[in-house]
Amino acid sequence: AVRQMPGAPVAPMRGCWEAMFDMDGPAVLAAVRCPVLHIAATPPLNPVEMFASMVSDCTTGSTVGAGHFTQLEVPAQVNSMIEHFLVALAAR
């Protein structure tokens, strides 16, 4: 992903960055009304407790041995967390 990013077209990348900086993340999270699974890298980029406190129904998990691209670096860990989250939701 890091090697491919510099080759991405500028206009869409600019739009993505502008949207990220313009978004009011806490307000968006407070409006979420469905269960959320938050998977953090280790160490997390943001405090896991902070994210969880902004979502009314949040399950958190942390990967081991991965950075920002957890789904690419440790897919088995991420997939396992997703599977457990979905099983728990189905059991509610």
Side-chain angles (χ1 to χ4, degrees):
V2 172
R3 286 189 302 260
Q4 292 176 344
M5 288 172 72
V10 173
M13 290 298 290
R14 183 182 308 119
C16 288
W17 282 104
E18 288 172 356
M20 283 192 301
F21 287 114
D22 290 344
M23 182 182 73
D24 182 355
V28 170
L29 291 173
V32 172
R33 297 291 176 249
C34 64
V36 171
L37 172 62
H38 176 259
I39 300 174
T42 305
L45 297 174
N46 299 301
V48 174
E49 300 80 20
M50 180 184 75
F51 185 95
S53 72
M54 292 184 216
V55 179
S56 62
D57 187 0
C58 185
T59 300
T60 61
S62 297
T63 59
V64 176
H68 183 69
F69 297 103
T70 57
Q71 68 279 16
L72 299 176
E73 296 173 26
V74 288
Q77 291 179 45
V78 173
N79 290 340
S80 177
M81 285 185 243
I82 293 170
E83 182 178 354
H84 284 89
F85 176 72
L86 294 174
V87 168
L89 280 181
R92 284 186 178 184

